Amino acid sequence: MSSHNRSQSSARRGDYVWQYEYYDDEPVSFEGLKAHRYSIVIGFWVGLAVFVIFMFFVLTMLTKTGLTHDPKKDDDSDDNNAVSRAFLAESRSYFNFYISKEGEGKDRLPFDGLLADETRTDTDCDFLSHFNIPNFVTCEHNSSLGEDDPLSKGNSDCLALAEV
Amino acid sequence: MNTSMNKTDCPELTVPVPVFFTIGVFSLMENLLVVVAVIYNRNLHSPMYGFMCSLAGFNTIASLAKTCENVLLVFADAGQLEKIGSSETKLDDVIDSLLCMSFLGSIFSFLAIAVDRYVSVFHALRYHNIMTMRRTGTSLGIIWTICGVSAMFIVSFFDFKFIMIFFVCLFLICFVVICFLYVYMFMLARNHARKIVSVNSGGAITLTILFGAFVLCWAPFFLHIIIMAVCPTDPYCECYRSLFQLHVLLLMSHALIDPAIYAFRSAELRHTFRKMLPCS
């Protein structure tokens, strides 16, 4: 982005220079500096790096420990299952890969599924279609495993459940 | 005031023009590819891809404007272009407006993508009723209009400190909202994932990349604007301002890595690319 001194229209016509110079009207005195010249630059970048690393550690810590509200009933009772299933249906776009990846291990990470494209697999659509939920979200025409996944061919069934 | 020193001790850092060109051209190609892919594939006509397409569109405009500016600068340095002239001034204003519009648009597009993901996670059943294509189209129209008008205002009235303050506050507010939405989603997801399998830190890495890239690429430029408004004559501030081209380069590289963070993670979009490109 180039700039020029806009406050003086005469300068605009006479001294307009097309380059990246910026606000060089008054020469800045560099004598008597107590700290290093680039102290703002260094301080800013160090602060930024610290912020990013701090954020990463906070997120990792949130992952490992349970900092949010701890549900008291932690066992697999039937009530809990019903509640879990209802919640699963509610947050289907997050949980679909859990259903599809039950046996697959750590390949597909939970939040990657959240942030990546929300793809629905065949098993997911079958599972959630049991709830007879109206206005079911369209199952997209692909699979999270890639285009050579044999499941992807069955995805077109899911389209029948959707309203557009 | 001691004006004996006319030379500054912090010479301006110049980034070679080929670097700007390379980044500009690559980012232009990438984002144009995303825009064309979303328009071309009917499966991708959904709110989420609409917002991604808008983000890619804004990045395309930014890359185009920057590349044009580089071309004009090269011509100006070679003496082919008249440096003093009303047409060059107008052209400079147009390019600045386009850049400003695309920067504002990127921020709003990030916000829209975050809101869309939030709705898809927490209101999944009503997602199609909340996020209809008409609402998506309306919000995209509003975003583009606001960005276009704001950009013209900002460039025309850049002298007023109020405009700069407004620009910076907008960035901070959007950043905080996006931060809140994503961290809230992450916390809820993590809370329920504890029951199932031990969740490793993959989600943390993804979020860190998302935010880290945004902050690392945008914050230096915004600090530059703040410093321009607050301390134009301070020597420390001058040394920071001498890195202006580096800050603009960071903004451009964010347009370059945006598709990798948002668009290319989608299998459907990658599939569309492979179908579109003749070499596969």
Side-chain angles (χ1 to χ4, degrees):
Chain A
M1 226 194 267
S2 67
S3 80
H4 52 276
N5 191 351
R6 288 176 178 278
S7 56
Q8 301 166 3
S9 57
S10 60
R12 194 174 181 178
R13 270 179 253 116
D15 297 332
Y16 176 70
V17 181
W18 192 307
Q19 49 189 326
Y20 285 118
E21 282 202 66
Y22 235 112
Y23 279 82
D24 279 342
D25 297 338
E26 310 162 18
V28 176
S29 164
F30 276 89
E31 296 177 4
L33 286 186
K34 289 198 257 335
H36 188 260
R37 294 193 311 254
Y38 284 103
S39 44
I40 290 189
V41 178
I42 297 171
F44 170 74
W45 280 104
V46 167
L48 209 59
V50 164
F51 170 73
V52 171
I53 294 173
F54 168 73
M55 194 174 59
F56 175 69
F57 279 125
V58 162
L59 291 171
T60 312
M61 205 171 60
L62 281 180
T63 303
K64 295 218 158 63
T65 68
L67 286 186
T68 55
H69 59 275
D70 219 353
K72 280 198 184 147
K73 34 189 192 299
D74 222 3
D75 46 353
D76 290 329
S77 60
D78 280 337
D79 287 340
N80 227 19
N81 275 345
V83 169
S84 301
R85 258 186 285 129
F87 196 90
L88 278 174
E90 176 87 287
S91 312
R92 55 176 301 291
S93 63
Y94 160 66
F95 278 102
N96 58 37
F97 50 85
Y98 275 108
I99 296 159
S100 61
K101 295 285 178 184
E102 260 181 337
E104 301 228 12
K106 57 179 169 46
D107 195 7
R108 182 57 60 131
L109 307 169
F111 208 65
D112 277 355
L114 177 63
L115 290 184
D117 176 28
E118 306 312 323
T119 57
R120 293 69 159 108
T121 61
D122 207 28
T123 40
D124 177 39
C125 293
D126 286 338
F127 172 74
L128 289 166
S129 65
H130 288 146
F131 291 96
N132 258 347
I133 300 161
N135 297 338
F136 192 73
V137 180
T138 306
C139 298
E140 283 179 310
H141 196 63
N142 57 343
S143 158
S144 56
L145 300 174
E147 73 270 10
D148 49 355
D149 180 36
L151 288 178
S152 66
K153 296 191 181 51
N155 274 351
S156 46
D157 297 344
C158 298
L159 289 171
L161 292 168
E163 46 84 33
V164 176
Chain B
M1 173 157 174
N2 187 355
T3 56
S4 60
M5 287 191 59
N6 280 331
K7 263 176 51 151
T8 168
D9 276 349
C10 290
E12 189 178 347
L13 176 83
T14 49
V15 176
V17 172
V19 174
F20 269 123
F21 259 127
T22 314
I23 290 192
V25 166
F26 271 110
S27 125
L28 182 67
M29 285 188 333
E30 263 188 343
N31 287 293
L32 210 54
L33 200 62
V34 170
V35 171
V36 168
V38 170
I39 293 175
Y40 167 78
N41 185 355
R42 292 200 64 86
N43 284 343
L44 300 177
H45 289 184
S46 72
M48 179 174 74
Y49 287 109
F51 292 128
M52 275 189 207
C53 183
S54 156
L55 178 68
F58 279 120
N59 285 336
T60 309
I61 292 179
S63 316
L64 206 57
K66 196 75 196 67
T67 312
C68 285
E69 193 174 31
N70 283 337
V71 167
L72 290 167
L73 271 175
V74 165
F75 279 135
D77 284 343
Q80 298 294 329
L81 207 61
E82 195 186 301
K83 287 193 181 178
I84 307 161
S86 65
S87 60
E88 278 79 10
T89 315
K90 285 208 189 86
L91 201 54
D92 180 46
D93 280 349
V94 165
I95 289 181
D96 279 346
S97 303
L98 285 177
L99 281 171
C100 203
M101 176 175 100
S102 60
F103 295 152
L104 278 175
S106 299
I107 296 175
F108 282 128
S109 297
F110 293 142
L111 190 61
I113 290 176
V115 167
D116 175 68
R117 284 174 177 167
Y118 181 86
V119 170
S120 80
V121 169
F122 290 106
H123 304 285
L125 294 180
R126 297 187 299 275
Y127 178 78
H128 263 301
N129 285 338
I130 297 175
M131 285 281 182
T132 59
M133 281 311 287
R134 172 186 284 195
R135 277 193 195 149
T136 307
T138 313
S139 45
L140 281 178
I142 291 175
I143 287 176
W144 280 78
T145 314
I146 288 182
C147 292
V149 170
S150 309
M152 287 196 300
F153 267 120
I154 288 175
V155 171
S156 311
F157 300 111
F158 198 60
D159 285 336
F160 298 133
K161 292 266 169 87
F162 169 74
I163 293 287
M164 268 195 233
I165 295 171
F166 165 77
F167 201 42
V168 170
C169 287
L170 197 68
F171 166 73
L172 287 174
I173 291 172
C174 287
F175 176 71
V176 164
V177 169
I178 294 173
C179 212
F180 166 75
L181 285 176
Y182 275 119
V183 172
Y184 190 46
M185 280 194 279
F186 178 78
M187 276 170 48
L188 191 81
R190 184 216 51 78
N191 188 32
H192 284 274
R194 269 189 306 115
K195 285 190 189 171
I196 302 170
V197 177
S198 71
V199 174
N200 48 18
S201 59
I205 291 177
T206 305
L207 256 193
T208 309
I209 291 176
L210 206 69
F211 276 115
F214 185 70
V215 165
L216 284 173
C217 292
W218 285 84
F221 182 74
F222 275 88
L223 186 64
H224 190 106
I225 295 183
I226 293 173
I227 279 187
M228 254 172 42
V230 165
C231 55
T233 52
D234 188 68
Y236 298 111
C237 297
E238 161 100 8
C239 284
Y240 184 85
R241 281 189 288 118
S242 67
L243 301 175
F244 177 66
Q245 292 196 24
L246 180 67
H247 301 151
V248 175
L249 187 72
L250 281 172
L251 276 185
M252 298 304 302
S253 30
H254 192 238
L256 183 71
I257 63 179
D258 254 352
I261 296 177
Y262 283 94
F264 292 166
R265 301 187 68 127
S266 156
E268 176 73 24
L269 207 62
R270 287 197 302 263
H271 184 64
T272 313
F273 291 148
R274 284 193 207 105
K275 276 201 304 191
M276 270 169 37
L277 296 174
C279 55
S280 56

